[in-house]
Amino acid sequence: MVVGDFPEEVDTLIVGAGPGGYVAAIRAAQMGQKVTIVDKGNLGGVCLNVGCIPSKALISAGHRYEQASGSDDMGIVAEKVSVNWDKVQEWKGQVVNKLTGGVESLLKANKVDIVKGEAYFVDQNTAKIMDEKQSQTYKFKNCILATGSRPVELKPFPYSERVLDSTGALDLKEVPGKMVVIGGGYIGTELGGAYASFGTEVTILEGTKDILGGFEKQMTQLVKKRLKGKGVDIVTEAMAQGVEETDNGVKVTYEVKGEEKTIEADYLLVTVGRRPNTDEIGLEEVGVEMDDKGLIKVDKQGRTNLDTIYAIGDIVDGPPLAHKASYEGKIAAEAISGEKSEIDYLSMPLVVFSDPELASVGYNESDAKEAGYDVKVSKFPFAANGRALSLNDTDGFVKLITRKSDGLVIGAQVAGPSASDLIAELGLAVEAGMTAEDLALTIHAHPTLGETVMEAGDLAIGMPIHTMK
């Protein structure tokens, strides 16, 4: 960082190098802008370093351990399968390092200037970038805010060595014997399920009537069945009251149906949501409009009330998803370059890497009906798919939501093996305005899980092959 009385001048300043920020930086540079990206942490943000990527690595390792432990149904018997936890954590770290190193290479290849430090805004065209030793003023024509979010910390459950946020849960030095998880959303379900795969005795405390709110009951039922098969105890409509730390664990108090209960464990994981990182960087002083949750108000191009400042990702309205941030980053960068690009969430997929995986895009059945659509619902089971049978993984289904009048695909849900991958084709169908007939006429290789999409299309047009109407 060059220090001096004269400010550095750039076309576009990107604040935050997570999946929204670094993608925005690359796209802006591709469109001819002189770009500087700044972050106080490691490139890749929460997602690559302590979120999406390491959690999925841990989930994958847990599945490998379960598979290695044998499958009686398939005639596979294994003995003395063990976990080298230090090696698991080392491998997880290698995955993270490869990706973050790749991000750095991509930024440099696109001639993006990388600066380490914290940003504080002076006015709508000026920010000071500071590290522990020095500061430098940057003058920018435009700025994209991509500062991300952090876990919500509850006053009765202050974070410590035994009371963990998602970052702490990913960095444990041991496989816990027992773990309590407060919150049955996607983070709590994914991490609770991952540790259960390694043999941890897990209890999930969820304040609402069901885990994984936002997904249909027929989908969450499959996840609950698998979790219970791993020994996970799911307590719904449970209100956590407090925690007492002991020498080697925690004692968690909660209330359910008016009765107070206590449970002991080695660790407590708190996953009750995330808070936008929009405080303490001068946005209020500059005049950037925010709502009462600290989310920045933006238009359809990601532009704030100040023409020179844009915002994307977890700090604007919508689910805190890495792919949402990346998409918004491209739109903002293109808007700065004068393109007419606009944000359209029509085909934004939602995915939970639970067991089995859940994924949804567009409308689900109830939302479509509430929106006034007359729809047909077509559900094809994985139990009728040859590849799922050969994988011994047949729980779940592919479900199409089509408009009755013309067969237009307006939504889809997948619960089952590789749901996170299968949803891409269905998202394309929604985005491109395809019909159920288009899916049915698309030749899918056999035997593959992807055939379930074609089969659901056949079902939707009233001519199913491998299932009854």
Side-chain angles (χ1 to χ4, degrees):
M1 184 184 297
V2 178
V3 183
D5 295 331
F6 299 101
E8 292 278 339
E9 295 187 4
V10 298
D11 293 333
T12 304
L13 178 69
I14 313 285
V15 182
Y22 84 75
V23 169
I26 291 172
R27 179 52 53 88
Q30 288 171 341
M31 303 193 78
Q33 300 167 35
K34 179 184 177 184
V35 182
T36 292
I37 189 167
V38 58
D39 199 301
K40 64 181 179 180
N42 295 326
L43 296 175
V46 168
C47 178
L48 269 66
N49 290 278
V50 293
C52 319
I53 299 303
S55 66
K56 277 46 177 190
L58 197 65
I59 290 168
S60 295
H63 288 330
R64 290 289 183 92
Y65 175 66
E66 286 184 312
Q67 292 165 359
S69 297
S71 177
D72 292 341
D73 291 347
M74 300 174 74
I76 306 299
V77 179
E79 296 180 359
K80 297 181 180 180
V81 178
S82 61
V83 175
N84 182 334
W85 187 247
D86 289 341
K87 187 68 176 176
V88 170
Q89 291 286 34
E90 179 187 341
W91 171 76
K92 176 170 68 67
Q94 290 171 353
V95 172
V96 169
N97 290 337
K98 285 178 182 178
L99 283 171
T100 55
V103 169
E104 182 175 6
S105 297
L106 289 170
L107 289 169
K108 288 180 177 178
N110 283 278
K111 299 181 180 179
V112 174
D113 186 27
I114 303 168
V115 176
K116 189 141 187 172
E118 295 188 59
Y120 190 88
F121 287 86
V122 178
D123 59 43
Q124 67 180 51
N125 290 100
T126 312
K128 282 189 176 294
I129 309 302
M130 300 163 284
D131 61 21
E132 295 177 354
K133 299 179 180 179
Q134 55 198 9
S135 71
Q136 172 65 43
T137 299
Y138 278 78
K139 298 288 288 185
F140 54 83
K141 294 178 182 177
N142 291 283
C143 174
I144 299 176
L145 297 171
T147 50
S149 62
R150 61 187 185 273
V152 171
E153 183 174 17
L154 300 176
K155 287 185 178 179
F157 304 97
Y159 295 131
S160 66
E161 290 186 5
R162 294 286 172 178
V163 181
L164 312 171
D165 61 9
S166 55
T167 300
L170 287 167
D171 201 33
L172 289 177
K173 306 303 180 186
E174 61 183 353
V175 178
K178 294 183 179 181
M179 175 182 281
V180 175
V181 180
I182 296 178
Y186 71 96
I187 296 176
T189 301
E190 287 183 356
L191 292 180
Y195 275 106
S197 295
F198 286 110
T200 300
E201 188 178 319
V202 176
T203 298
I204 296 177
L205 304 178
E206 168 56 40
T208 65
K209 292 183 179 180
D210 206 355
I211 63 171
L212 296 173
F215 284 93
E216 297 171 314
K217 187 174 182 179
Q218 56 189 295
M219 301 176 78
T220 59
Q221 286 291 100
L222 295 168
V223 176
K224 288 193 289 187
K225 176 185 172 183
R226 290 273 183 97
L227 286 173
K228 289 176 180 177
K230 298 174 192 280
V232 177
D233 184 20
I234 302 170
V235 186
T236 55
E237 298 184 272
M239 302 305 296
Q241 304 293 322
V243 61
E244 176 187 340
E245 293 191 48
T246 63
D247 291 340
N248 54 5
V250 293
K251 190 180 293 184
V252 181
T253 303
Y254 65 97
E255 184 180 304
V256 59
K257 295 181 180 179
E259 182 181 355
E260 188 172 281
K261 297 186 177 184
T262 301
I263 183 171
E264 295 185 15
D266 299 312
Y267 295 95
L268 169 64
L269 169 58
V270 182
T271 62
V272 292
R274 300 187 66 83
R275 188 188 311 280
N277 294 326
T278 52
D279 49 343
E280 299 181 356
I281 59 174
L283 297 183
E284 298 92 339
E285 289 82 351
V286 174
V288 174
E289 288 186 2
M290 291 179 275
D291 65 16
D292 55 3
K293 296 179 181 178
L295 294 171
I296 298 173
K297 298 179 181 180
V298 294
D299 66 12
K300 290 186 176 181
Q301 290 191 310
R303 187 183 294 103
T304 69
N305 60 301
L306 304 179
D307 287 345
T308 58
I309 298 179
Y310 294 69
I312 62 173
D314 293 6
I315 58 175
V316 301
D317 193 30
L321 303 170
H323 51 274
K324 170 180 172 285
S326 297
Y327 168 72
E328 291 168 343
K330 292 176 183 177
I331 299 296
E334 291 167 3
I336 288 170
S337 296
E339 298 292 324
K340 295 181 179 180
S341 304
E342 269 190 9
I343 293 169
D344 180 1
Y345 298 127
L346 176 68
S347 59
M348 182 68 65
L350 301 176
V351 176
V352 178
F353 291 83
S354 50
D355 185 14
E357 293 180 355
L358 306 182
S360 180
V361 68
Y363 287 98
N364 63 25
E365 182 178 355
S366 59
D367 288 342
K369 290 177 179 178
E370 284 181 17
Y373 287 103
D374 186 15
V375 298
K376 180 175 183 179
V377 178
S378 309
K379 188 165 71 171
F380 186 83
F382 277 101
N385 174 260
R387 182 58 175 155
L389 284 162
S390 68
L391 291 170
N392 197 30
D393 195 358
T394 57
D395 287 344
F397 53 83
V398 171
K399 181 176 173 183
L400 285 185
I401 311 299
T402 53
R403 198 164 60 189
K404 273 188 180 179
S405 60
D406 55 7
L408 183 73
V409 180
I410 63 171
Q413 289 75 48
V414 184
S418 296
S420 58
D421 296 314
L422 293 174
I423 203 66
E425 180 180 1
L426 293 161
L428 176 61
V430 173
E431 178 70 24
M434 297 170 67
T435 65
E437 185 178 26
D438 291 324
L439 294 177
L441 290 174
T442 301
I443 301 171
H444 289 67
H446 175 77
T448 62
L449 296 173
E451 286 178 284
T452 56
V453 174
M454 177 183 68
E455 301 275 11
D458 280 335
L459 192 58
I461 64 175
M463 293 188 286
I465 302 298
H466 293 108
T467 190
M468 303 296 182
K469 288 185 182 180

